[in-house]
């Protein structure tokens, strides 16, 4: 449960930053209660956070207050479009809730913003860039 304090502190430290929270919606087997609680935490602490729902494509981009997460059942995810969107939108910090089993563009080897992978799984995979944080 130490991750709670870590995430809380990270949100508080970024009050003056442009922040987005992306949710990998590629499977309906995700721990939805945990994910909903994290979304609510962002909503309460940083209400100007942008919520991005994506699987192999971006499904929606909305204010964090419109936080009805719609999960898919196909299990396919790609992170490239969300990472490119964050770059285009000049996002300072992107938090991405995912198991990190999706795909990246082969020519993407870094991003020019802070990136935190929030992994709701007992296994913490290695990430190509950014920092992975286990939230399970």
């Amino acid at each position: 449960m130490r991750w709670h304090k870590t995430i809380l502190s990270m949100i508080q430290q970024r009050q003056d930053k442009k922040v987005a929270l992306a949710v990998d919606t590629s499977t309906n087997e995700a721990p939805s209660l945990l994910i909903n609680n994290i979304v609510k935490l962002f909503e309460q602490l940083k209400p100007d956070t942008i919520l991005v729902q994506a699987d192999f494509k971006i499904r929606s981009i909305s204010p964090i207050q419109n936080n009805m997460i719609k999960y898919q059942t196909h299990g396919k995810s790609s992170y490239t479009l969300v990472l490119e969107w964050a770059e285009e939108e000049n996002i300072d910090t992107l938090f991405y809730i995912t198991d990190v089993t999706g795909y990246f563009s082969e020519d993407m080897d870094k991003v020019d913003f802070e990136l935190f992978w929030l992994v709701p799984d007992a296994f913490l995979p290695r990430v190509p860039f950014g920092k992975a944080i286990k939230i399970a």
Side-chain angles (χ1 to χ4, degrees):
M1 296 294 239
R2 196 176 76 203
W3 66 266
H4 287 100
K5 288 182 182 174
T6 301
I7 301 298
L8 178 70
S9 174
M10 293 171 84
I11 296 169
Q12 290 171 331
Q13 292 169 4
R14 287 159 181 80
Q15 287 301 315
D16 60 338
K17 304 282 187 184
K18 189 171 182 182
V19 173
L21 173 65
V23 178
D24 177 356
T25 59
S26 63
T27 178
N28 59 0
E29 296 177 15
S32 57
L33 181 61
L34 172 64
I35 293 169
N36 289 341
N37 286 337
I38 292 170
V39 170
K40 287 192 185 317
L41 182 65
F42 274 86
E43 181 181 353
Q44 292 171 355
L45 295 176
K46 183 123 176 71
D48 61 342
T49 299
I50 301 165
L51 178 65
V52 180
Q53 297 184 52
D55 47 31
F56 59 85
K57 66 181 182 178
I58 295 175
R59 298 286 178 170
S60 72
I61 299 170
S62 64
I64 196 84
Q65 293 80 9
N66 301 341
N67 58 27
M68 185 66 187
I69 308 291
K70 183 172 185 221
Y71 294 98
Q72 310 297 315
T73 57
H74 52 70
K76 297 176 191 156
S77 63
S78 173
Y79 307 117
T80 305
L81 291 176
V82 173
L83 298 176
E84 289 174 346
W85 169 85
E87 189 84 36
E88 291 167 10
E89 293 296 315
N90 296 314
I91 299 296
D92 295 312
T93 306
L94 175 65
F95 293 87
Y96 208 133
I97 302 173
T98 181
D99 58 8
V100 199
T101 59
Y103 300 96
F104 295 91
S105 172
E106 289 181 10
D107 56 346
M108 184 176 280
D109 59 355
K110 70 177 182 73
V111 293
D112 293 327
F113 50 86
E114 278 188 307
L115 174 60
F116 297 100
W117 303 96
L118 306 181
V119 183
D121 199 350
F123 174 70
L124 187 63
R126 197 173 141 180
V127 293
F129 41 80
K131 181 179 180 189
I133 301 169
K134 185 165 46 171
I135 58 170

